[in-house]
């Protein structure tokens, strides 16, 4: 089976002060002209696509219009290779916008459904509180000698019970509390008002979201919206307007893309890397060439050299401007090429290595071909308070250790096919601790890093349905195997990849006997019990359900 992966590798820094002034002037000219033309081309295509304003008239082509625009602005001819790069860049931006719109629509739908679920839950809670208030009023009349004693209240209908002249109810952290009827009635009235207000706010949010929904994406803000918002706080930060303009222009004109061409012996007509002497020859937008010396690709550079030596196909390059901590400006080159492999290890004859990714560790389980657990473990890491770059390094080390386990055991890696859009949508009404953990859980980045590392090491990645893996781990394997809930979940993931069907334990068959989906029935009760209970002893259903 042939598997293809896109590889992007960065070069070392090429500092501005290491280049001559004439060379830097040509480089800066390329950044400014290329990005101005890119912005113009994007806006014209946006107007045509979403506003109905035609871009191309009659027998004109987009290529001829770009050349005409460049000649009007700068009085010279634009190379066809730069036009090809502009096409590739702008089309990529539009495609990314469409994909982001789809994801945003899915997330918005999940958020709306989650809000409606919250309204339904609060409405049920409000109905119980109103019933409880009616009972308390009837009990007050009974004490005043103006009525008969009402029937005993129930938790399901009224939200509390009554015994010995006291009201018993569940308070914070699900703890049972007691109050006298008069005090509880006053607090209940406050809760009713608060719940009504919450329901009204959520319904209003649902309405406003539906009214604001649109199929037309907003224009891309070149230089980032964050940078443009800084203009409104110049008086607070003490920055001059000229300094803000300089920062904005740097953000807008900092990247140039050189699209690759398979017909070129170097994979690219505008940017050519010579691996034998580590030089990069770049044709600037005015047609003149600049030769960069001592350009190395320390990370996976040997793969780029082998790719260029075999002349397998095109190589795309990106030239990017950056500034280091001391204020020195430099350039970074990034090479992008496609690599194919046919010898990835998909064989499950010896079992699989499954993992469960968490916000502070990776739990893994080595599962034999017969579905039995061979070994399990944890790879810890800490991302709290780290910068994005530092977090990426820490996570990369953990991923490297995980893949090395699969290489050593000669087994494919298995993970859950999770949908984090739903989880993200539910963050709106979850507690802060859970939201903080989910935000720190850069799952998509971890998946990409595992897949990239596994591809390099010729290890295949398999995915399975994530339904009830943690539940099965909790009620079936955690205590008997003597492992953590996350290692047990990894074990269940591995068994599922091997096609093993999980049977319901004997002590749970009473609650799931008549259910079409027994695990779903068990889940509605199991979520009330913590993992620590299952770790202590094999639970008994009659005690657990309480």
């Amino acid at each position: 089976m042939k598997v293809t992966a896109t590889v992007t590798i960065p070069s070392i820094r090429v500092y501005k002060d290491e280049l001559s002034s004439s060379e830097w002037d040509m480089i800066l000219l390329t950044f400014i002209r290329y990005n101005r033309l890119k912005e113009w081309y994007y806006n014209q295509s946006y107007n045509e696509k979403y506003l109905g304003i035609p871009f191309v008239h009659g027998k004109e082509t987009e290529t001829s219009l770009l050349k005409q625009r460049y000649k009007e602005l700068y009085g010279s001819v634009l190379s066809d290779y730069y036009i090809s790069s502009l096409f590739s860049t702008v089309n990529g931006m539009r495609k990314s916008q469409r994909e982001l719109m789809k994801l945003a629509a899915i997330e918005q739908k999940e958020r709306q459904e989650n809000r409606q679920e919250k309204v339904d839950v609060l409405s049920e809670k409000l109905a119980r509180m109103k019933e409880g208030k009616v009972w308390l009023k009837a009990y007050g009349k009974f004490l005043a000698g103006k009525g008969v004693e009402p029937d005993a209240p129930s938790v399901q209908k009224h939200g509390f019970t009554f015994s010995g002249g006291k009201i018993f109810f569940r308070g914070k952290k699900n703890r049972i509390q007691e109050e006298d009827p008069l005090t509880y009635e006053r607090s209940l009235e406050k809760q009713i008002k608060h719940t009504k207000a919450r329901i009204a706010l959520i319904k209003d949010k649902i309405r406003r979201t539906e009214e604001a929904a649109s199929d037309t994406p907003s224009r891309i803000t070149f230089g980032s919206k964050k940078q443009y918002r800084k203009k409104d706080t110049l008086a607070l930060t003490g920055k001059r307007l000229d300094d803000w303009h300089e920062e904005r222009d740097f953000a807008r004109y900092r990247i140039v893309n050189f699209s690759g061409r398979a017909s070129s012996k170097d994979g690219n007509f505008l940017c050519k890397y010579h691996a034998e002497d580590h030089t990069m020859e770049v044709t600037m937008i005015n047609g003149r060439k600049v030769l960069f010396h001592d350009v190395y690709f320390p990370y996976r550079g040997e793969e780029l050299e082998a790719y260029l030596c075999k002349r397998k196909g095109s190589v795309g390059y990106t030239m990017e401007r950056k500034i280091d901590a001391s204020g020195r400006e430099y350039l970074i080159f990034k090479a992008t090429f496609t690599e194919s492999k046919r010898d990835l290890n998909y064989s499950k004859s010896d079992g699989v290595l499954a993992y469960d990714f968490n916000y502070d560790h990776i739990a893994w389980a080595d599962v034999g071909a017969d579905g039995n657990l061979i070994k399990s473990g944890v790879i810890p890491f800490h991302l709290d308070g780290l910068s994005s770059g530092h977090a990426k390094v820490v996570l990369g080390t953990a991923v490297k250790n995980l893949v090395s386990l699969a290489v050593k055991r000669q087994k494919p890696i298995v993970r859950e096919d999770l949908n984090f859009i739903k989880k993200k949508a539910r963050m709106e009404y979850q507690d802060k601790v859970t939201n903080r953990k989910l935000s720190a859980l850069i799952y998509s980045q971890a998946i990409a890093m595992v897949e990239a590392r596994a591809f390099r090491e010729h290890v295949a990645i398999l995915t399975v349905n994530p339904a009830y893996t943690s539940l099965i781990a909790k009620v079936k394997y955690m205590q008997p195997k003597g492992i953590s809930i996350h290692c047990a979940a990894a074990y269940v993931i591995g068994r599922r990849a091997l096609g093993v069907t999980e049977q319901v334990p004997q002590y749970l068959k009473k609650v799931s006997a008549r259910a079409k989906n027994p695990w779903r029935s068990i889940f509605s009760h199991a979520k009330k019990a913590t993992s620590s209970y299952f770790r202590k002893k094999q639970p008994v259903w009659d005690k657990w359900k309480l």
Side-chain angles (χ1 to χ4, degrees), residues 314-325:
S314 63
V315 181
Y317 292 97
T318 299
M319 184 170 64
E320 186 175 353
R321 294 168 65 195
K322 291 189 175 185
I323 299 176
D324 66 10

Side-chain angles (χ1 to χ4, degrees), residues 467-468 471-473 475-477 496 501-505 508 512 515-526:
Y468 309 116
L471 169 65
I472 297 168
V475 303
K476 194 172 178 182
Y477 295 117
R496 187 165 291 177
T501 303
E502 298 292 350
Q503 301 297 328
V504 175
L508 292 178
S512 62
K516 291 182 179 179
N517 188 340
W519 288 114
R520 185 174 183 178
S521 176
I522 294 168
F523 176 75
S524 62
H525 296 86

Side-chain angles (χ1 to χ4, degrees), residues 452-468:
R453 189 76 193 184
F455 184 82
R456 288 182 63 188
E457 302 292 345
H458 303 273
V459 177
I461 301 291
L462 309 176
T463 58
V464 297
N465 188 337
Y468 309 116

